[in-house]
Amino acid sequence: MGDILVVAEHRGGQLAAVSLEMLSKGRELANHCGGQVAAVVIGKDADRYARRLAQHADTVVVVDHHGLEDSPAEPSQRVLSSIVSERKPKLVLMGHTSFAMDLAPALAVELGAALATDCLDVSARDGVFRVTTAPYNGKVRAVYAFAPSDIIIVTGRAGSFPVEQAQGQGDIEVLEYDVEQDGQRKVFEGYVEPEASDVDIAQAKVVVSVGRGIKDSDKLELAEELASALGGVVACSRPIVDYGWLPAGRQVGQSGKTVTPKLYVALGISGAFQHVVGLTGAKMIVAVNKDPHAPIFGVADYGIVGDLFEVVPALTQKVRELKA
Amino acid sequence: MNVVVAIKKVVDTSEAADVVEVDAAGKDISKAGLVSRLNDWDGYALEEGLRWREKLGGTATALTVGPRDWDDVLRTALAMGADAAVRVDEDAASMDCRSVARILATAIGKLPHDLVLFGAQSEDFGSAQLGPMVAQMLGLPHATLVVGLDVNDDRVHVSREIEGGARELYTLTLPALLTIQTGLNRPRYVSFSRIKRAREKEIGVTTLHELGLSSADLVPSVTLERLELTPAGRRAMLISGNPEEAAGALATLLKESGVI
Amino acid sequence: MSLADYRYRDLIHRCFRCGYCKFPTSYLDVNNCPAYARYRLESYSTGGRLWLIRAWLNDEMEWTDHLAEIVFSCATCKNCTEQCPLPFSQDIVNMIVAARCEMVERGLMPAAVQQFLENVQRHGNPYGAPRSKRAEWFQGTDVEQYDGQEYLYYVGCVGSYDTRARETARTLAHVLKRGGVSFGVLGDRESCDGNDVAKLGEEGLFESLAEENIEQFKELGVTKVVTLSPHAYNAMRNDYPSLNGTFEVFHYTQLLNELIKKGTLDLSRGFDARVTYHDPCFLGRWNGEYEAPRAALRAVPGIELVEMERSRADTLCCGGGGGNFYTDFLGGSEDSPARIRIRQARDSGAQVVAVACPNCMTMLEDAAKAERLDESLSIRDVSEIVASALE
């Protein structure tokens, strides 16, 4: 069926977990349909990730790019377009990250490739590649099929593909690309790291998190009370920060923090992937939502379908009683 | 400075979660009884575009590809303060993103544009593909997920959101294309009287033919086969009963599992 | 805009902040203006607000979020109108509403107000709930769709969507049936009456809602409307006629009182309790109806009707007027008007607070819980008390 190319990402000396997930998926597809799996990693000293990637890949292409420490989309697009044009993989896989959101659509146009983004699944059967996505904020699932002739680029949602154990020893190729930034029309100026927060939600043992369903900043009290009864802290999904009801340091999710509490309580959070991706390390997840189809119930251990304004005060009360 | 903001109309499913159903053709959700409106992200893009136009002069044009009943989101844009509105008269619902991007790129190419803004994604299919695709087609530098921007002569300094609460800073040379993330401003309220006045304003309607596009330019590379409802509570054990009972049962479970 | 274009330019400077709007009788009683009671700052009293508005219109101060919150925190309860000794007293609340109109037109308002208005624009209700759910409250009952019956029963947004108010809406329907009243409802064809939209200063949206309602009422041949909410009653009775919508509009307490007088409701089961009645602003001060609900309560055997220290024209608003039941600028404190009011109810010695407005119901019920008075003091709608007394 052709070869598979997986684009690996890294920042601050860390290989992105989603890159290994996509590599595992690539390996599975290749085992099923034949073809080789290559991983590409771009950036200064990118060779440090090569051996880890080589456990899954037949080949690892290291593009030791001197311009940048990490892997911003610019100028990775030109590196990738030249590698894809040369090697002609059938499928290019990468995580659906801020890097890929900048890069993948532009790369697809440049290469004349077909593209599907934010996919929960990728399959290949009878010569047809299909992907599954979660439109309408996860309320529905959509299955797409690709036309057979194109090169296909797929970005996959973090946490959708398990990382398989692998002990392979693929070949490592180091390529030297010394790419200038694109005529200075887009110049990378650096990173801004997140500000320290008033409360460190990343370290908390219990996190009570609120989403759009809380409706009103005054109702945050309900969450504060439950958090205090449980001995935890209050966090939130993105809209709450957008509204200015809680500081950015309290946000859980892709553009916020990753939390690893023993208990995560999601109140009025629908469970959009951008949020859920931040709680993969939670030991137990409990959700209260009025919508039985809310995707949060797909990741929660326990759920109550109901009005949080009724359930939460009752829960706070019961927790206090049980602790007393 | 001339700003073009690409916008779309979506059905509002935020409060209607439990009434979402897949339509008979199995290709989209059933829109009966749901309210349609401007895509949330696009409201932020419009607000940002209008603020810069108000500050620096020039024109702000709102652009969409859609059927006639999408005129109302263009009127919202006009009521917010856009100088012009253009609709490419084509129902693009069944097109793939690359085809829609092709149409938008062609239309934007015919408009004065120093700054092209898109919402970072749509609320419906949310694939976040159009902005960077259009940038590539037009040969513009681009940045996605923009949470802050500052236009300075022929450059725009942007801050884009990346994982873990960090930001990437770039400087782009105009003309440039940015996709806008929610929260970087507060879209203004559009009073009913402004909307009424915007009804008098003209919307420029153009067609694929007038743009010089044919079906050969719009060959889909990916096709939606089917849509289905996400199974309810696929994983969670749902606790039933009235709020009191459910809360009591949950608290007991938490106690038994040792988390309290 | 400048002061010259302001609708009340000839009046607004005449308020010299005598303070009667906040201290009409005694400097010790701060609980007259609900916003003043909550914040105890001159700027939150009507006089203070009018001075700030004048300064803003004269470009003597910048618009800020805080200014907007002060202007939008007025519950439009009209207590100040009653207390103001000056000849333009009838206009002082309208002066605040007119300033809101200016802010709304320029898109300058607190986020909660914006959300309220956007939800009404899009969904026909401030909650942003789907229109299709507007008919849920009467599913499984024998309530009929309006189809030429004598009365249109207009339920309103709170009665249609709020869980507690839905109970009241159903109970009232039941009582009307028992009283032999011929009525129907609009279900998901119903839309917001616009009263609070108007009080929040969105005149254009109010007119559009009113015109659509009027057109629909006329098409359906409606001549008489009975409303659950005093807010809808106020808009339909006072504001719709100037938009060519003249109907016979009743608040349900008026209709119940008539039914009781005619003897069509048999209340012999009675209701044994000491009851106090809380006047809703849009029934009382805005429309002068203080008697009908009291008469209905007096007619129920077993009720001992006691008055709170503040009642009738002197009543204290629950704080939910003028959109505040949703925007909630007056909540979150023991000085919140609803909590002051519930303590006043407790002090009257009553066991039950009778309300005649779904907004008051939810505001006072929450306040009773916050004050931990919910076990000793129950909040019941007049229709619910009547229903309990039906044989």
Side-chain angles (χ1 to χ4, degrees):
Chain A
M1 260 197 94
D3 296 335
I4 294 170
L5 185 76
V6 179
V7 182
E9 258 183 82
H10 57 99
R11 192 170 91 86
Q14 292 279 323
L15 195 60
V18 67
S19 298
L20 292 172
E21 294 168 20
M22 298 316 292
L23 198 49
S24 294
K25 184 65 194 180
R27 179 85 267 163
E28 180 203 315
L29 287 168
N31 288 347
H32 190 65
C33 326
Q36 298 270 305
V37 179
V40 183
V41 59
I42 303 168
K44 183 166 171 268
D45 300 331
D47 56 339
R48 66 179 122 169
Y49 311 111
R51 294 180 62 180
R52 178 77 181 90
L53 295 170
Q55 291 174 352
H56 297 267
D58 300 304
T59 317
V60 179
V61 182
V62 178
V63 183
D64 202 345
H65 172 61
H66 302 292
L68 296 166
E69 183 78 27
D70 301 314
S71 50
E74 180 68 31
S76 302
Q77 186 182 332
R78 268 160 306 131
V79 174
L80 284 170
S81 107
S82 102
I83 291 175
V84 173
S85 303
E86 269 167 41
R87 298 179 187 240
K88 302 203 171 3
K90 177 65 200 165
L91 177 67
V92 178
L93 290 174
M94 54 185 108
H96 187 67
T97 58
S98 61
F99 167 77
M101 285 165 88
D102 227 41
L103 172 110
L107 182 65
V109 167
E110 184 178 356
L111 295 169
L115 173 68
T117 47
D118 196 12
C119 299
L120 278 58
D121 197 12
V122 190
S123 69
R125 206 161 294 134
D126 308 325
V128 178
F129 277 95
R130 285 187 175 79
V131 291
T132 304
T133 66
Y136 292 100
N137 218 353
K139 294 181 181 87
V140 290
R141 294 275 182 269
V143 177
Y144 290 90
F146 287 95
S149 56
D150 296 307
I151 294 174
I152 295 165
I153 303 177
V154 170
T155 73
R157 180 175 287 197
S160 303
F161 308 99
V163 177
E164 301 298 335
Q165 290 298 316
Q167 295 303 326
Q169 298 224 322
D171 301 328
I172 296 172
E173 286 175 46
V174 179
L175 300 181
E176 291 280 337
Y177 269 83
D178 198 3
V179 192
E180 287 295 306
Q181 297 212 16
D182 175 19
Q184 302 298 306
R185 288 198 308 153
K186 183 177 184 185
V187 179
F188 178 63
E189 310 275 14
Y191 291 106
V192 178
E193 298 302 332
E195 281 172 32
S197 176
D198 51 344
V199 170
D200 190 2
I201 58 170
Q203 301 300 322
K205 292 280 178 274
V206 174
V207 175
V208 176
S209 201
V210 296
R212 208 188 285 266
I214 195 87
K215 296 260 171 94
D216 184 341
S217 58
D218 286 348
K219 298 290 194 300
L220 287 171
E221 272 176 36
L222 294 178
E224 295 281 359
E225 280 173 23
L226 178 58
S228 112
L230 288 166
V233 300
V234 173
C236 62
S237 64
R238 183 185 178 96
I240 304 301
V241 173
D242 283 352
Y243 299 154
W245 294 350
L246 283 174
R250 301 283 190 103
Q251 184 188 332
V252 175
Q254 188 180 32
S255 55
K257 291 194 173 153
T258 299
V259 296
T260 53
K262 57 181 184 174
L263 173 64
Y264 188 86
V265 184
L267 306 175
I269 291 178
S270 66
F273 129 82
Q274 288 89 339
H275 179 74
V276 169
V277 74
L279 38 110
T280 41
K283 299 279 181 302
M284 181 190 284
I285 300 172
V286 169
V288 180
N289 201 296
K290 63 180 179 180
D291 171 17
H293 292 280
I296 192 72
F297 292 124
V299 296
D301 300 285
Y302 298 107
I304 296 179
V305 177
D307 182 348
L308 73 92
F309 303 111
E310 293 174 7
V311 173
V312 174
L315 183 58
T316 305
Q317 178 75 24
K318 301 283 178 196
V319 169
R320 283 199 184 118
E321 284 168 18
L322 286 177
K323 277 192 142 179
Chain B
M1 192 187 59
N2 298 309
V3 183
V4 176
V5 187
I7 62 175
K8 81 173 289 189
K9 185 169 169 175
V10 294
V11 287
D12 185 349
T13 55
S14 54
E15 284 296 322
D18 43 342
V19 297
V20 167
E21 282 173 20
V22 175
D23 70 9
K27 295 288 171 75
D28 205 340
I29 63 169
S30 165
K31 292 179 179 163
L34 294 178
V35 173
S36 294
R37 59 170 169 78
L38 181 67
N39 179 41
D40 202 19
W41 276 266
D42 301 350
Y44 291 90
L46 269 171
E47 179 65 35
E48 198 62 21
L50 290 170
R51 287 185 188 187
W52 287 105
R53 198 272 280 139
E54 282 158 9
K55 203 166 166 184
L56 303 174
T59 61
T61 306
L63 169 68
T64 196
V65 181
R68 191 176 180 160
D69 69 350
W70 284 34
D71 277 350
D72 52 4
V73 292
L74 291 173
R75 295 202 189 285
T76 302
L78 290 168
M80 283 175 81
D83 304 284
V86 176
R87 178 171 60 83
V88 181
D89 186 28
E90 188 66 33
D91 188 344
S94 59
M95 289 184 186
D96 71 350
C97 288
R98 201 168 64 184
S99 301
V100 181
R102 176 68 62 202
I103 298 170
L104 285 166
T106 311
I108 293 166
K110 292 179 191 295
L111 294 166
H113 61 274
D114 301 301
L115 185 62
V116 181
L117 301 179
F118 278 67
Q121 67 174 83
S122 63
E123 288 172 75
D124 47 16
F125 284 80
S127 58
Q129 296 180 15
L130 288 181
M133 280 183 162
V134 169
Q136 182 71 29
M137 289 169 181
L138 289 170
L140 301 178
H142 75 271
T144 55
L145 297 167
V146 168
V147 289
L149 69 107
D150 186 17
V151 180
N152 205 332
D153 294 327
D154 64 339
R155 290 192 159 75
V156 56
H157 305 284
V158 306
S159 161
R160 69 182 294 265
E161 185 177 86
I162 61 169
E163 285 70 18
R167 309 259 188 268
E168 271 177 7
L169 305 179
Y170 285 94
T171 299
L172 282 68
T173 304
L174 298 177
L177 185 148
L178 309 176
T179 81
I180 301 295
Q181 178 60 292
T182 56
L184 91 165
N185 55 41
R186 192 175 123 208
R188 63 196 69 184
Y189 178 71
V190 191
S191 75
F192 198 82
S193 63
R194 278 180 192 271
I195 291 177
K196 230 165 137 179
R197 288 200 293 277
R199 283 186 194 147
E200 321 280 299
K201 294 192 185 169
E202 200 172 324
I203 286 172
V205 178
T206 186
T207 61
L208 296 186
H209 182 72
E210 284 169 5
L211 291 173
L213 292 168
S214 68
S215 53
D217 300 306
L218 308 171
V219 178
S221 56
V222 55
T223 314
L224 177 64
E225 286 190 329
R226 63 176 191 277
L227 209 66
E228 55 201 34
L229 269 189
T230 303
R234 213 161 28 120
R235 176 188 147 124
M237 189 189 115
L238 294 181
I239 299 163
S240 56
N242 67 33
E244 288 278 324
E245 294 161 4
L250 177 59
T252 309
L253 273 166
L254 295 179
K255 173 121 184 157
E256 281 167 3
S257 60
V259 291
I260 60 173
Chain C
M1 191 187 92
S2 65
L3 184 62
D5 301 322
Y6 177 64
R7 202 175 303 168
Y8 295 98
R9 63 180 176 276
D10 296 333
L11 281 181
I12 191 165
H13 66 279
R14 293 181 61 191
C15 166
F16 58 90
R17 278 172 50 228
C18 68
Y20 265 61
C21 52
K22 59 181 193 290
F23 297 136
T25 47
S26 150
Y27 284 105
L28 298 174
D29 185 4
V30 298
N31 298 330
N32 284 281
C33 168
Y36 184 76
R38 166 71 177 81
Y39 289 100
R40 314 273 173 92
L41 291 168
E42 176 71 10
S43 45
Y44 282 87
S45 72
T46 299
R49 242 187 233 112
L50 292 179
W51 277 48
L52 290 175
I53 289 167
R54 196 176 59 166
W56 175 62
L57 293 170
N58 267 332
D59 285 329
E60 291 161 6
M61 67 184 278
E62 292 273 305
W63 182 92
T64 62
D65 272 325
H66 190 205
L67 173 66
E69 198 174 308
I70 290 171
V71 171
F72 282 91
S73 68
C74 165
T76 65
C77 77
K78 269 199 168 178
N79 184 62
C80 55
T81 301
E82 295 289 330
Q83 314 295 352
C84 174
L86 294 168
F88 52 87
S89 62
Q90 287 307 311
D91 277 321
I92 56 179
V93 168
N94 298 339
M95 289 184 207
I96 294 166
V97 172
R100 292 175 175 183
C101 291
E102 288 310 317
M103 290 191 174
V104 166
E105 192 50 30
R106 296 190 218 178
L108 302 170
M109 64 192 81
V113 175
Q114 180 164 351
Q115 199 173 19
F116 183 113
L117 296 175
E118 282 175 354
N119 283 339
V120 175
Q121 266 196 29
R122 285 179 195 150
H123 303 280
N125 68 77
Y127 305 106
R131 232 173 247 274
S132 56
K133 294 194 175 180
R134 200 162 181 121
E136 268 180 10
W137 70 269
F138 65 94
Q139 272 165 21
T141 71
D142 55 358
V143 173
E144 294 157 14
Q145 292 276 347
Y146 184 82
D147 183 21
Q149 292 94 333
E150 185 181 1
Y151 286 91
L152 168 67
Y153 172 21
Y154 179 88
V155 185
C157 301
V158 183
S160 300
Y161 292 106
D162 182 275
T163 319
R164 175 66 183 87
R166 280 176 170 184
E167 280 178 41
T168 314
R170 282 190 292 268
T171 305
L172 176 58
H174 166 72
V175 174
L176 292 176
K177 288 242 164 199
R178 287 287 301 270
V181 177
S182 151
F183 70 93
V185 298
L186 292 174
D188 58 9
R189 295 175 296 171
E190 191 182 277
S191 185
C192 180
D193 53 80
N195 188 64
D196 292 11
V197 168
K199 299 299 171 267
L200 285 171
E202 224 308 17
E203 285 177 304
L205 181 57
F206 170 72
E207 278 175 26
S208 145
L209 292 166
E211 281 163 5
E212 279 172 30
N213 287 335
I214 290 166
E215 193 185 341
Q216 190 184 22
F217 291 4
K218 284 182 174 169
E219 263 172 31
L220 294 169
V222 172
T223 57
K224 294 181 180 178
V225 184
V226 57
T227 74
L228 176 68
S229 171
H231 294 241
Y233 171 68
N234 179 64
M236 291 177 184
R237 178 171 182 257
N238 299 322
D239 301 326
Y240 282 25
S242 64
L243 296 166
N244 254 329
T246 305
F247 308 96
E248 266 189 87
V249 187
F250 301 88
H251 183 250
Y252 81 85
T253 54
Q254 298 170 323
L255 194 53
L256 289 193
N257 194 35
E258 287 306 310
L259 294 174
I260 292 167
K261 274 201 271 184
K262 276 194 281 182
T264 35
L265 287 173
D266 177 1
L267 303 175
S268 53
R269 176 180 280 216
F271 187 84
D272 286 323
R274 200 174 313 118
V275 176
T276 189
Y277 172 70
H278 166 74
D279 288 280
C281 308
F282 281 98
L283 192 58
R285 280 191 289 255
W286 281 80
N287 288 290
E289 181 58 88
Y290 302 107
E291 203 40 52
R294 285 184 171 79
L297 290 171
R298 268 189 235 107
V300 177
I303 286 186
E304 181 194 343
L305 191 62
V306 295
E307 291 291 350
M308 286 181 263
E309 197 183 318
R310 301 273 304 279
S311 67
R312 297 180 179 257
D314 193 35
T315 191
L316 176 68
C317 170
C318 69
N324 267 289
F325 74 97
Y326 179 90
T327 58
D328 201 22
F329 297 126
L330 304 178
S333 158
E334 60 185 85
D335 293 328
S336 295
R339 289 179 63 175
I340 299 172
R341 190 58 173 160
I342 208 74
R343 295 195 295 265
Q344 292 176 349
R346 174 200 61 199
D347 294 345
S348 75
Q351 300 153 306
V352 174
V353 184
V355 295
C357 170
N359 299 37
C360 298
M361 165 67 82
T362 53
M363 296 295 292
L364 293 178
E365 254 193 10
D366 287 350
K369 283 179 199 151
E371 290 286 321
R372 305 198 187 280
L373 287 171
D374 48 326
E375 297 203 345
S376 55
L377 201 54
S378 66
I379 322 293
R380 305 288 295 274
D381 191 81
V382 171
S383 65
E384 293 167 349
I385 293 173
V386 168
S388 313
L390 283 177
E391 195 44 73

